[in-house]
Amino acid sequence: MYRTHNCGALRIEDEGKEVTLSGWLQASRDFGGMTFIDLRDRYGITQLVFNTDDNDKLAEKAQKLGRESVIRVQGVVKERSNKNPNRPTGDIEIEVKSLDILNESKTPPFTIEDETDGGDDLRMKYRYLDIRRNPVKESLIFRSKLAIETRKHLSDQNFVEVETPVLIKSTPEGARDFVVPSRMNPGQFYALPQSPQTFKQILMVAGMDRYFQIVKCFRDEDLRADRQPEFTQIDCEMAFVTQEEILNTFEDLTKHLFKAMKGIDLPDFPRMEYDEALRLYGSDKPDLRFGMQFVELNDLAKGKGFGVFDSAELIVGICAEGQAEAYSNKDIKHLTEWMQRPQIGAKGLVYVKVNTDGTFKSSVGKFYDDETLKTWAEKFDAKPGDMLLILSGEAEKTRKQLNELRLEMGRKMGLMKEGDFKPLWVVDFPLLEWDEESERFHAMHHPFTSPKKADVDRMLNGDHETMKSLKADAYDLVINGSEIGGGSIRIHDRDLQSRNFDLLGFTKEEAQAQFGFLLGAFEYGAPPHGGIAFGFDRLCAVMNGQSSIRDYIAFPKNNQGRDMMIDAPSPIDQVQLDELKLDLQKEKV
Amino acid sequence: MYRTHNCGALRIEDEGKEVTLSGWLQASRDFGGMTFIDLRDRYGITQLVFNTDDNDKLAEKAQKLGRESVIRVQGVVKERSNKNPNRPTGDIEIEVKSLDILNESKTPPFTIEDETDGGDDLRMKYRYLDIRRNPVKESLIFRSKLAIETRKHLSDQNFVEVETPVLIKSTPEGARDFVVPSRMNPGQFYALPQSPQTFKQILMVAGMDRYFQIVKCFRDEDLRADRQPEFTQIDCEMAFVTQEEILNTFEDLTKHLFKAMKGIDLPDFPRMEYDEALRLYGSDKPDLRFGMQFVELNDLAKGKGFGVFDSAELIVGICAEGQAEAYSNKDIKHLTEWMQRPQIGAKGLVYVKVNTDGTFKSSVGKFYDDETLKTWAEKFDAKPGDMLLILSGEAEKTRKQLNELRLEMGRKMGLMKEGDFKPLWVVDFPLLEWDEESERFHAMHHPFTSPKKADVDRMLNGDHETMKSLKADAYDLVINGSEIGGGSIRIHDRDLQSRNFDLLGFTKEEAQAQFGFLLGAFEYGAPPHGGIAFGFDRLCAVMNGQSSIRDYIAFPKNNQGRDMMIDAPSPIDQVQLDELKLDLQKEKV
């Protein structure tokens, strides 16, 4: 037997017990005649003590042990003279009687501490050492518990977890698929699912009524920071439901998870129309931890001779409370340069400082007198000491830029408070997006999303321009500026689905080849249905106020899609290629 | 709103309530003036009634509805005059006031009943209709509940569920991998995991202590009936454990699952050595629902002039209780022919009937007198009326053949009783298997399995013959003749693992290229560890006395690896192939 207790279990009540512990050597300290070892496992750290006077061979053996060695000790639980109140086992120590070295360790390439000296690449290559560190270990345990709570809650609500297949069919629509050559069907390929979308709809047609699955999904996209080729969703679907019932069901889930995991009671989630989110925050995922809503100035700023504003489609700004004195001319210059970077692309930035004496200081002061600026300040509800930051230009672009500025100011002003969670539902998304470049419509959510009931006739019979104004029963759950989940009421009528495929540029043949099974299923009694999918990795991170999902994934891949630890992907044998009837293309010179 | 109640919810206590229900039309019946409809959803069936006198337009609309139409009705709960005690809702019916047709249905290609007239291919193509049938629906719900109970129990035992990656590295060892070409790394491939074996071991090195995962695994093998290219495992691993602790932990899990799901208290599981299982049952997965243990007759049957027995390595038989009179000469001829089919390949079958008058009747009566046959009968503990069935030949082959005969007799004699569950642990498997054809050792379990402690030295230093006699800390959980789970204590020492790779025919370079990360991990404080994996699909089937796993998988593939519903795999675009830098091989003429 390797242990009677784990390294986090023993307390002062156990004094005098003969125990066996196993674990890793976290640290050791020699004090003339006494050697102390911190023995660590997943559950905690227990102090071991070796006394040279009692057993000098044993103490010598202990002194030679390197960090991260795996050992087993037998000994007796003693009260510590020098207690450590920061550690649950801090009242006791083990007076060691025997010591087995189970496995030695080379010196780790980085320190196994909460704050490590290991860089990202090293941590990924030696992920088995990285996971020994508390922050990563605790993140993985959090994830496991969150999955359990999710399953528990959804099961209690009569949801059935159904595993959908991983080897499915490639559909060029949407993101790029990973494909899997079929040896038994040469020249043919499976695809890995980007989501179980069509299967969960099929399950609704199949009468499963309430489905969920915590499921791996795959996208072969160029990876940005914090995007993974494989990621996990809480995927859900319900039959015979309205949007309202779905929002309530998953608001309940979210509240339950915050309560169970963090002890936080979330209030009811506000709902905001997509158009309003863009108008007030320039984003369909506004961070509501702080205000700084957009205020439009077209009526107050045009026609006073400032050409930039006069010619702009939109003049819009935010009010940075109490920042007038904090920002020097140089600070504002830096902020303007930050906004002018190609990633954001603002042409300039106008400021108006509301001075405490009732006067104003502004970069456009020569065009606008104080009287006019006062009307601006009033529209912003600005107080003395506040600073207005104003952009202008083409409406959509300008709102996006101002969104970036608002978030930057929120960060700088410390308004994104840790432990503060501000969820909201963004609703009433457009159904279709016109893409100028490809001259076709794209589905704003996905090709299975239903238009609002009031828009069905317009969709079936309207002209091209009408299509741009259709609204969908589609919704996103946003927390602190992160999109946590999204979903929609689906089309369950074959004709309406066909019309949608037409609008999205599918030929009848393509629609039939790719989604014929779904169109067919709609002919055999498909119930009204809808659903949602939560990004599980993202949810883990957001619930812990983390911006990166990496530590919530046991074995993440790097930005080249590579697993640094196992060194995958890798070349395969010619035998394997021949079995699959595949050749590698020669490099074109 | 589509419903106030589901179709399984209403009871006599609800009489008088105004309700709204939605569901599928299961059946309808017209009785002059009255139309009855059975409305079905996942939760049950509720009877609707339409009265022509009250509202003849509504009744007419109802009469025209086809099977599987999706409708919504509003009405009032009434007590039925003609109650149906077989249905939870059988005391009431809904007097319908209004009816909406939500979606019509074409006539389904097979009946949506417990016993359907649909063949396998049709059921798979229209899986969304097949799942509406109770047996399939209940199987999927059982699976979901079993997963929840598994997770609950393991979490309570401090196991952490960790998701391991799906895009990993191809290793030619073992079964054939599915591979996934990497677009970002042209010419390189990921593989889909056959199991998360190395990752769960890495998690033990990482200090996760107790890991589990209910996880999809993949094998690109030629499919036999009841084998799927993707299947699900309950995958587990523990650190600082002995084999005994693992067996106890997962015996507890199994007992918990039978109790929670079936209300069955399983007694402690017997343990049987691999060698004994082969000697007594000719199989490493004996069905213990019945006895019929093998009895060897070499000592009693040789040297009496019967050449077949005299030259046989092994003479071994079973006693079929009470079957002497049941089997005519013709029956025995048929049984003999069954045994001689190429799938089994027995040369012949010897019988000895123990007559009620103390005499014997046997196909080898001319070689053995009654006195001798009596000694055989005594060794079998046979009673008057019993029949001995005896095979002979090369030992290993003969035992395998007799295993088939034993199972066939068990089936014929009705000894495999439904609801009877006989689990056992088979232990002490050999470490290595010598394969004559390829002239190399194969790992009996897998390349990471540890030899028994007592055999480590022999493994490190022994000769070729010694290797054949090494025993492993490997074990299988068998229930009713099905292998439900298997596992082992793993090697956690780099040198021992290297030695094992050597024995299995890996060059140092191959071992390093494929498993270098694991060998590396063993140098940084790898703890002793071991684990087990349960076949989850199989467990579902066995717990319900089913021989096929298909109905426990929502969307299974056929024997050509094809999903008949979505028609996958399928060709992909040249654009996709070019992105992956792949060409299809031209057919060689």
Side-chain angles (χ1 to χ4, degrees):
Chain A
M1 195 205 282
Y2 288 103
R3 58 188 177 195
T4 53
H5 298 76
N6 65 48
C7 295
L10 293 167
R11 298 288 183 276
I12 190 69
E13 295 77 37
D14 299 302
E15 198 186 352
K17 278 189 190 156
E18 290 263 2
V19 297
T20 304
L21 298 187
S22 289
W24 286 264
L25 188 149
Q26 173 77 22
S28 72
R29 298 173 297 282
D30 288 334
F31 295 110
M34 304 279 270
T35 297
F36 295 96
I37 284 182
D38 280 348
L39 190 69
R40 186 199 70 231
D41 66 12
R42 184 183 117 199
Y43 311 94
I45 290 179
T46 299
Q47 177 164 295
L48 312 177
V49 59
F50 300 79
N51 194 323
T52 312
D53 292 346
D54 292 353
N55 187 336
D56 67 339
K57 274 203 184 139
L58 193 66
E60 201 180 318
K61 193 174 171 187
Q63 282 158 18
K64 283 185 185 153
L65 289 169
R67 275 196 292 137
E68 299 304 317
S69 294
V70 183
I71 60 173
R72 168 173 52 189
V73 295
Q74 281 183 287
V76 178
V77 181
K78 299 275 180 184
E79 182 169 6
R80 271 168 78 163
S81 54
N82 184 13
K83 297 201 170 74
N84 180 346
N86 299 320
R87 204 178 265 177
T89 63
D91 289 351
I92 58 98
E93 61 193 5
I94 311 297
E95 197 176 85
V96 177
K97 304 293 179 200
S98 79
L99 162 67
D100 295 311
I101 301 168
L102 300 175
N103 219 343
E104 298 196 67
S105 175
K106 299 206 292 196
T107 304
F110 51 84
T111 53
I112 313 294
E113 306 277 355
D114 290 6
E115 298 290 327
T116 183
D117 55 357
D120 261 9
D121 282 0
L122 214 51
R123 288 178 50 206
M124 289 305 140
K125 182 167 180 199
Y126 297 92
R127 187 65 164 172
Y128 45 86
L129 299 178
D130 198 29
I131 294 174
R132 288 185 195 164
R133 297 171 51 240
N134 279 322
V136 185
K137 182 189 79 179
E138 294 302 336
S139 295
L140 295 179
I141 292 174
F142 179 91
R143 182 188 179 102
S144 179
K145 286 190 181 153
L146 186 65
I148 285 169
E149 283 300 333
T150 302
R151 289 190 161 100
K152 184 170 171 294
H153 181 84
L154 289 174
S155 302
D156 287 348
Q157 310 297 318
N158 263 330
F159 284 81
V160 178
E161 186 162 24
V162 180
E163 291 177 51
T164 53
V166 175
L167 297 171
I168 65 166
K169 186 167 172 164
S170 188
T171 55
E173 172 71 8
R176 203 185 283 106
D177 286 324
F178 282 105
V179 297
V180 181
S182 166
R183 180 182 54 86
M184 298 224 274
N185 305 274
Q188 300 191 23
F189 294 74
Y190 303 99
L192 304 182
Q194 296 182 31
S195 93
Q197 182 61 35
T198 51
F199 286 97
K200 67 176 174 174
Q201 293 192 239
I202 286 288
L203 286 170
M204 294 304 100
V205 180
M208 202 41 82
D209 204 75
R210 292 183 159 208
Y211 145 93
F212 85 103
Q213 189 182 188
I214 300 185
V215 60
K216 274 276 174 79
C217 300
F218 306 86
R219 263 175 225 175
D220 184 14
E221 291 300 309
D222 294 330
L223 300 171
R224 297 186 307 230
D226 226 36
R227 255 217 209 159
Q228 289 283 322
E230 49 181 298
F231 55 97
T232 303
Q233 287 189 350
I234 307 172
D235 193 50
C236 307
E237 198 79 4
M238 305 168 79
F240 301 114
V241 283
T242 57
Q243 169 173 310
E244 189 59 24
E245 289 164 309
I246 294 182
L247 299 193
N248 289 334
T249 302
F250 293 96
E251 186 166 320
D252 281 352
L253 169 66
T254 309
K255 285 176 178 171
H256 171 80
L257 295 179
F258 271 86
K259 181 68 181 171
M261 300 297 295
K262 312 284 295 181
I264 292 171
D265 286 301
L266 291 179
D268 289 347
F269 301 1
R271 293 170 193 191
M272 191 182 292
E273 286 176 18
Y274 171 85
D275 288 344
E276 192 188 358
L278 288 191
R279 193 170 52 76
L280 292 181
Y281 300 97
S283 166
D284 59 3
K285 43 183 182 182
D287 188 334
L288 296 193
R289 280 177 295 179
F290 59 101
M292 246 192 255
Q293 287 185 352
F294 292 8
V295 171
E296 300 184 2
L297 288 180
N298 286 25
D299 53 343
L300 299 179
K302 286 201 174 210
K304 309 276 175 166
F306 181 42
V308 173
F309 279 7
D310 286 349
S311 65
E313 185 187 354
L314 179 69
I315 307 159
V316 61
I318 53 176
C319 172
E321 279 184 45
Q323 299 300 303
E325 289 187 10
Y327 275 74
S328 66
N329 285 350
K330 201 171 147 195
D331 294 335
I332 289 176
K333 184 161 164 271
H334 283 155
L335 196 60
T336 307
E337 283 163 2
W338 188 86
M339 289 295 293
Q340 287 172 329
R341 290 173 313 140
Q343 298 95 304
I344 298 186
K347 294 230 173 70
L349 173 65
V350 167
Y351 75 87
V352 179
K353 290 184 177 177
V354 186
N355 295 326
T356 41
D357 62 3
T359 64
F360 296 89
K361 188 184 175 207
S362 169
S363 47
V364 294
K366 61 177 160 175
F367 297 104
Y368 301 96
D369 56 23
D370 276 9
E371 203 52 39
T372 307
L373 295 178
K374 189 162 172 246
T375 65
W376 296 10
E378 280 166 5
K379 192 158 187 197
F380 276 96
D381 215 2
K383 299 178 301 298
D386 292 353
M387 174 171 68
L388 313 183
L389 296 168
I390 301 165
L391 300 177
S392 65
E394 190 271 311
E396 196 182 331
K397 227 182 256 176
T398 305
R399 288 197 177 102
K400 271 191 192 157
Q401 293 163 355
L402 191 59
N403 167 50
E404 297 292 338
L405 181 62
R406 174 178 175 270
L407 294 175
E408 176 70 3
M409 293 307 293
R411 272 186 291 271
K412 283 180 181 243
M413 292 163 65
L415 301 176
M416 296 168 170
K417 292 212 186 71
E418 213 182 309
D420 187 16
F421 295 99
K422 284 283 152 44
L424 81 154
W425 290 105
V426 179
V427 298
D428 296 353
F429 278 78
L431 182 69
L432 300 165
E433 245 182 334
W434 179 253
D435 185 51
E436 291 293 346
E437 206 173 313
S438 60
E439 294 208 308
R440 43 175 289 205
F441 282 111
H442 289 291
M444 186 89 178
H445 184 52
H446 59 47
F448 313 104
T449 296
S450 178
K452 286 193 169 288
K453 227 170 204 169
D455 281 353
V456 170
D457 276 345
R458 296 204 302 138
M459 177 171 169
L460 288 171
N461 305 309
D463 61 8
H464 182 87
E465 279 309 304
T466 306
M467 295 308 121
K468 295 185 184 172
S469 70
L470 300 174
K471 293 286 181 188
D473 273 334
Y475 33 83
D476 276 355
L477 174 60
V478 174
I479 301 180
N480 294 1
S482 281
E483 182 198 324
I484 293 299
S488 63
I489 298 293
R490 325 300 182 183
I491 296 169
H492 66 280
D493 176 81
R494 189 191 163 114
D495 293 339
L496 196 60
Q497 186 65 65
S498 279
R499 169 69 175 162
N500 208 26
F501 284 142
D502 291 347
L503 288 171
L504 296 170
F506 286 80
T507 66
K508 291 286 176 209
E509 292 69 32
E510 284 167 350
Q512 187 57 35
Q514 291 171 35
F515 300 112
F517 66 99
L518 187 67
L519 292 169
F522 285 174
E523 297 184 317
Y524 287 97
H529 61 286
I532 196 168
F534 285 70
F536 190 63
D537 311 293
R538 172 70 46 206
L539 180 62
C540 288
V542 167
M543 287 183 77
N544 291 292
Q546 301 286 317
S547 59
S548 168
I549 60 175
R550 283 233 182 145
D551 281 351
Y552 295 89
I553 298 173
F555 302 101
K557 293 185 173 58
N558 73 8
N559 283 356
Q560 283 73 50
R562 184 162 284 283
D563 183 320
M564 299 284 283
M565 184 183 75
I566 64 172
D567 195 24
S570 60
I572 59 173
D573 290 350
Q574 187 61 42
V575 180
Q576 284 175 283
L577 286 170
D578 286 343
E579 281 188 329
L580 299 171
K581 307 270 188 266
L582 288 179
D583 284 326
L584 304 182
Q585 287 181 1
K586 305 269 180 301
E587 276 304 322
K588 269 128 197 165
V589 189
Chain B
M1 197 205 281
Y2 288 101
R3 58 188 177 194
T4 54
H5 298 76
N6 65 48
C7 295
L10 293 168
R11 298 287 183 276
I12 190 71
E13 295 77 38
D14 299 303
E15 199 187 349
K17 276 188 190 157
E18 289 265 0
V19 297
T20 304
L21 298 187
S22 290
W24 287 263
L25 187 151
Q26 173 77 21
S28 70
R29 296 174 299 283
D30 288 334
F31 296 108
M34 303 278 270
T35 297
F36 295 96
I37 285 181
D38 280 348
L39 190 68
R40 186 198 71 228
D41 67 9
R42 185 182 117 200
Y43 311 95
I45 289 179
T46 298
Q47 178 164 295
L48 312 178
V49 58
F50 300 79
N51 196 321
T52 312
D53 293 343
D54 292 354
N55 188 337
D56 67 337
K57 275 202 183 139
L58 193 65
E60 200 180 320
K61 192 174 172 189
Q63 282 158 17
K64 284 187 185 150
L65 290 168
R67 276 196 290 138
E68 300 304 316
S69 295
V70 184
I71 59 174
R72 167 173 53 188
V73 296
Q74 281 183 289
V76 178
V77 181
K78 298 275 177 183
E79 181 168 7
R80 270 169 79 164
S81 53
N82 184 14
K83 298 202 171 76
N84 179 348
N86 299 320
R87 203 178 265 176
T89 63
D91 289 351
I92 58 98
E93 62 193 5
I94 311 298
E95 198 177 83
V96 177
K97 305 291 181 202
S98 79
L99 161 68
D100 296 311
I101 300 170
L102 299 175
N103 220 341
E104 297 196 66
S105 177
K106 297 206 292 196
T107 305
F110 51 85
T111 54
I112 313 293
E113 306 277 355
D114 289 7
E115 297 290 329
T116 181
D117 55 356
D120 261 9
D121 281 1
L122 215 50
R123 289 178 48 207
M124 289 305 140
K125 181 166 178 201
Y126 297 91
R127 188 64 164 174
Y128 44 88
L129 299 178
D130 199 30
I131 293 174
R132 289 186 196 164
R133 296 171 52 241
N134 278 322
V136 185
K137 181 190 77 180
E138 293 303 335
S139 296
L140 295 179
I141 293 174
F142 180 91
R143 182 188 180 104
S144 178
K145 287 191 181 152
L146 187 66
I148 286 169
E149 282 300 333
T150 302
R151 288 189 160 102
K152 185 172 170 294
H153 181 84
L154 290 175
S155 302
D156 287 348
Q157 309 299 316
N158 262 330
F159 283 81
V160 178
E161 185 161 25
V162 180
E163 291 176 52
T164 53
V166 175
L167 296 171
I168 64 165
K169 185 169 172 164
S170 188
T171 56
E173 171 70 9
R176 201 184 284 106
D177 286 325
F178 282 105
V179 297
V180 181
S182 166
R183 180 182 55 86
M184 296 223 277
N185 305 273
Q188 300 191 22
F189 294 76
Y190 302 100
L192 304 182
Q194 297 182 30
S195 91
Q197 182 61 35
T198 49
F199 285 97
K200 66 177 175 174
Q201 293 193 240
I202 286 286
L203 285 170
M204 294 303 103
V205 179
M208 203 41 79
D209 204 74
R210 293 183 159 206
Y211 145 93
F212 85 103
Q213 190 182 187
I214 300 186
V215 60
K216 274 278 176 75
C217 301
F218 306 87
R219 263 174 224 175
D220 183 14
E221 290 299 310
D222 294 331
L223 300 172
R224 297 186 308 229
D226 225 35
R227 252 214 210 162
Q228 289 283 322
E230 48 181 298
F231 54 97
T232 303
Q233 289 189 349
I234 308 172
D235 192 52
C236 307
E237 198 78 4
M238 306 168 78
F240 300 114
V241 282
T242 58
Q243 169 173 311
E244 189 59 23
E245 289 164 310
I246 293 181
L247 299 193
N248 290 335
T249 301
F250 293 98
E251 188 166 319
D252 282 350
L253 169 66
T254 310
K255 286 176 177 171
H256 171 79
L257 294 179
F258 270 86
K259 182 69 181 170
M261 299 296 296
K262 312 283 294 180
I264 293 172
D265 286 300
L266 292 178
D268 289 348
F269 301 180
R271 292 171 193 191
M272 191 181 293
E273 287 176 15
Y274 171 85
D275 289 344
E276 192 189 358
L278 288 190
R279 193 169 51 75
L280 292 180
Y281 300 96
S283 167
D284 60 1
K285 42 182 182 183
D287 188 334
L288 296 193
R289 279 177 295 180
F290 60 102
M292 245 191 258
Q293 286 185 354
F294 293 7
V295 172
E296 299 185 2
L297 287 181
N298 285 27
D299 53 342
L300 300 178
K302 285 203 174 207
K304 309 277 177 165
F306 181 42
V308 174
F309 279 7
D310 287 352
S311 66
E313 185 187 353
L314 178 68
I315 308 158
V316 61
I318 53 175
C319 173
E321 278 184 47
Q323 297 301 302
E325 290 188 7
Y327 275 73
S328 67
N329 285 351
K330 202 171 145 195
D331 293 335
I332 289 176
K333 185 162 162 268
H334 283 156
L335 196 61
T336 307
E337 284 164 2
W338 189 86
M339 290 294 293
Q340 288 171 328
R341 290 173 312 140
Q343 298 94 306
I344 299 186
K347 294 232 173 65
L349 173 63
V350 167
Y351 76 88
V352 179
K353 290 183 176 176
V354 186
N355 295 328
T356 42
D357 62 2
T359 65
F360 296 89
K361 186 182 175 209
S362 170
S363 48
V364 294
K366 61 177 162 179
F367 298 103
Y368 301 97
D369 57 21
D370 276 9
E371 203 52 42
T372 308
L373 294 178
K374 190 162 174 244
T375 64
W376 294 11
E378 282 167 4
K379 194 160 185 193
F380 275 97
D381 217 0
K383 300 175 304 298
D386 291 354
M387 175 171 68
L388 313 182
L389 295 168
I390 301 165
L391 298 177
S392 66
E394 189 270 312
E396 196 182 330
K397 229 182 256 177
T398 304
R399 287 196 177 105
K400 272 190 191 158
Q401 293 163 356
L402 191 60
N403 167 50
E404 297 292 340
L405 182 61
R406 175 179 174 270
L407 293 175
E408 177 68 4
M409 294 306 293
R411 272 187 290 271
K412 283 178 180 249
M413 293 164 63
L415 301 176
M416 296 169 168
K417 294 212 184 70
E418 212 182 309
D420 188 17
F421 296 98
K422 285 284 151 43
L424 81 154
W425 290 105
V426 178
V427 298
D428 296 354
F429 278 77
L431 181 70
L432 300 165
E433 246 182 333
W434 178 251
D435 184 52
E436 291 292 348
E437 207 173 312
S438 60
E439 293 208 308
R440 42 175 290 204
F441 282 111
H442 289 291
M444 186 90 176
H445 184 55
H446 59 46
F448 314 104
T449 296
S450 178
K452 287 192 168 287
K453 228 171 205 170
D455 282 354
V456 170
D457 277 346
R458 295 203 303 137
M459 178 170 168
L460 287 171
N461 305 309
D463 62 9
H464 183 85
E465 278 310 303
T466 306
M467 296 308 122
K468 296 184 185 173
S469 68
L470 299 174
K471 294 285 182 189
D473 273 334
Y475 33 82
D476 277 354
L477 174 60
V478 175
I479 301 180
N480 295 1
S482 280
E483 183 197 323
I484 294 298
S488 63
I489 298 292
R490 327 299 183 183
I491 296 170
H492 65 281
D493 176 81
R494 184 187 169 115
D495 292 340
L496 196 61
Q497 186 64 64
S498 281
R499 168 69 174 162
N500 208 25
F501 285 142
D502 290 348
L503 288 170
L504 296 171
F506 287 79
T507 66
K508 291 285 177 209
E509 291 70 30
E510 285 166 351
Q512 186 59 36
Q514 290 171 34
F515 300 112
F517 67 98
L518 187 67
L519 293 169
F522 285 174
E523 296 185 317
Y524 288 98
H529 62 286
I532 195 167
F534 285 69
F536 189 63
D537 311 293
R538 173 68 48 206
L539 180 62
C540 288
V542 167
M543 287 183 77
N544 290 293
Q546 301 286 318
S547 60
S548 168
I549 60 175
R550 281 231 186 148
D551 282 350
Y552 294 90
I553 299 174
F555 301 100
K557 292 185 174 60
N558 74 6
N559 283 357
Q560 282 73 51
R562 184 162 283 283
D563 183 318
M564 300 282 284
M565 185 183 74
I566 63 170
D567 194 26
S570 60
I572 58 173
D573 289 350
Q574 187 61 40
V575 180
Q576 283 176 287
L577 286 170
D578 286 343
E579 281 188 330
L580 299 170
K581 305 269 187 266
L582 288 180
D583 284 326
L584 304 183
Q585 287 181 3
K586 304 269 180 302
E587 275 305 322
K588 269 128 199 166
V589 189

